Amino acid sequence: MSEAFIYDAVRTPFGRFGGALAPVRPDDLAAVVVGALIERTPGLEGAMVEEVILGNANGAGEENRDVARMAVLLAGLPVSVPGTTVNRLCGSSLDAAIMGSRQIETGDADLVLTGGVESMSRAPWVLPKTEKPYPAGDLNLSSTTLGWRLVNPAMPAEWTVSLGEANEQLREKHDISRARQDEFAYRSHQLADAAWSEGFYDALTVAVPGTDLARDESIRASSSLEQLGGLRTVFRPDGTITAGNASPLNDGASAVLLGSEAAGERIGARPRARILGRGAHALDPRDFGFAPVEAANQALSRAGIDWSDVGAVELNEAFAVQSVACVQAWGIDEDIVNARGGAIAIGHPLGASGGRILGTLVARLEETGQRYGVAAICIGVGQGLAVVVENVSA
């Protein structure tokens, strides 16, 4: 068995819904990061890439025609480079990295480019076909931006509540206050703003041609706890979840270059991190926010380490409440979690977020000199994914 290494990672700045990246098609966003990874490695030629695996959660709009293959062609890679698209909703691009690492470990490939893309701004409305021809009544469009749509009537109603309502229920189970959620959200914005100001994200991002977006558009550096506390709740009149303590809707793309140790010699690059363990877990669909807990525990067990060995965690912040619940369940110091900001501030373009947290994790391990890190993400309909990496850059 070969070992799978991370050689590089890059993403676009994440744009807010209807913002700077809204005019850009998702297949073009994907092509930007695919092309950037090739350009950033002088010894890497497009023909050397044996597979491109990209995640995408929507698949109903301009990304519908296997967006990974479209990105290969639009980025100017040789037509001989294959591409496949995976959909595990919010975990899609982390799943892409998991799949790519397995290809390398089994010897099916030597170099695999993974990542993901989402344009929530451009997600279309869909009009389902009718059961009978020539309907006389009105028909309703369904938005594909986020959450349940075209629900199968056989699905229990309690499973198909909104993502926000599911997290209000999670909040009740774990007794997490509105104030605690707002504190976590405030921390995310402050850390993300500081990271950009200090140049941490400069080497991790690439500009999107034709736009002037220089950093993540959803970061609110001037936000205060008082302002967050004054926001109205969204899902229940007496609830706790607001637009301020949940991730926003976003557009963006990410990419991660994986390879064997021998691949590094071919492309003239040193590996930065080794993939040590992977985990996937599923729960009741309403408990999706808590699913990363066991996914990460599985990944650590398979890596042969435990939480006391971990120096950095990147947990995708879909909602502050589920992030706090996961951190509490792991029993870890919150200071090692999302120390450079999280999705509440940075944004959560669904199919791109797994690649973002994986690339950020590698950079954080290099910055601090820590050896082991965990990337974990919750996924709608009750799932979670996690990857454990080892810093080998020293």
Side-chain angles (χ1 to χ4, degrees):
M1 292 285 286
S2 298
E3 293 181 306
F5 294 90
I6 298 172
Y7 281 90
D8 198 8
V10 69
R11 66 176 177 89
T12 67
F14 288 171
R16 61 177 174 81
F17 186 80
L21 298 186
V24 185
R25 290 173 56 111
D27 46 2
D28 286 328
L29 288 174
V32 168
V33 292
V34 168
L37 270 191
I38 303 298
E39 294 173 6
R40 285 159 61 107
T41 308
L44 176 60
E45 298 177 2
M48 295 178 178
V49 177
E50 293 161 90
E51 183 77 89
V52 173
I53 308 173
L54 296 186
N56 178 256
N58 197 310
E62 295 155 331
E63 72 284 88
N64 76 88
R65 192 71 173 163
D66 184 2
V67 71
R69 176 61 173 166
M70 295 301 101
V72 167
L73 299 175
L74 290 167
L77 273 65
V79 296
S80 59
V81 178
T84 188
T85 302
V86 58
N87 183 353
R88 205 194 285 242
L89 301 179
C90 303
S92 296
S93 53
L94 195 60
D95 213 9
I98 287 172
M99 292 177 180
S101 67
R102 288 178 179 143
Q103 286 192 338
I104 292 162
E105 290 172 358
T106 59
D108 286 346
D110 209 36
L111 274 169
V112 180
L113 195 157
T114 72
V117 64
E118 208 76 48
S119 176
M120 300 178 82
S121 294
R122 298 177 75 90
W125 292 283
V126 296
L127 182 66
K129 291 183 177 179
T130 59
E131 296 296 326
K132 297 180 180 180
Y134 315 119
D138 295 334
L139 298 175
N140 294 320
L141 292 169
S142 296
S143 173
T144 65
T145 300
L146 180 69
W148 291 93
R149 82 283 308 228
L150 309 180
V151 178
N152 191 315
M155 192 72 70
E158 62 269 22
W159 285 357
T160 63
V161 297
S162 70
L163 302 177
E165 171 57 26
N167 274 273
E168 288 286 9
Q169 294 179 25
L170 190 70
R171 180 262 305 177
E172 292 174 327
K173 286 184 180 180
H174 296 274
D175 192 25
I176 298 171
S177 69
R178 162 76 181 270
R180 181 71 184 90
Q181 295 174 57
D182 288 345
E183 289 168 1
F184 189 88
Y186 176 74
R187 172 183 182 269
S188 184
H189 285 283
Q190 295 302 303
L191 292 175
D193 178 60
W196 273 105
S197 297
E198 294 165 13
F200 174 82
Y201 284 115
D202 291 353
L204 281 171
T205 54
V206 59
V208 177
T211 74
D212 58 2
L213 186 61
R215 69 181 219 162
D216 300 312
E217 198 172 10
S218 295
I219 298 172
R220 297 187 296 275
S222 61
S223 180
S224 68
L225 283 172
E226 291 73 22
Q227 289 173 323
L228 288 169
L231 295 175
R232 293 186 299 171
T233 59
V234 177
F235 303 99
R236 295 183 184 179
D238 60 345
T240 62
I241 297 175
T242 71
N245 57 35
S247 61
L249 306 178
N250 297 94
D251 311 324
S254 65
V256 180
L257 181 64
L258 304 175
S260 66
E261 188 169 16
E265 299 175 5
R266 292 172 55 210
I267 64 176
R270 295 181 61 184
R272 298 171 62 188
R274 179 188 292 112
I275 293 183
L276 286 186
R278 298 166 290 244
H281 188 62
L283 297 168
D284 182 302
R286 292 168 293 183
D287 294 329
F288 75 93
F290 200 63
V293 172
E294 186 56 30
N297 290 341
Q298 286 179 13
L300 286 167
S301 177
R302 291 165 183 167
I305 62 174
D306 58 36
W307 281 110
S308 64
D309 299 306
V310 175
V313 175
E314 281 295 313
L315 171 64
N316 193 59
E317 300 168 356
F319 294 82
V321 63
Q322 59 84 207
S323 301
V324 171
C326 290
V327 172
Q328 289 180 172
W330 288 325
I332 59 176
D333 187 343
E334 190 175 290
D335 286 347
I336 70 169
V337 180
N338 301 350
R340 288 305 198 167
I344 289 173
I346 292 169
H348 180 22
L350 308 179
S353 289
R356 177 192 73 79
I357 63 172
L358 193 56
T360 302
L361 179 64
V362 172
R364 283 184 56 206
L365 290 173
E366 292 175 334
E367 180 184 47
T368 62
Q370 295 288 334
R371 184 174 180 182
Y372 298 114
V374 175
I377 195 164
C378 69
I379 302 164
V381 203
Q383 298 190 86
L385 284 179
V387 171
V388 173
V389 302
E390 179 185 15
N391 178 12
V392 297
S393 63

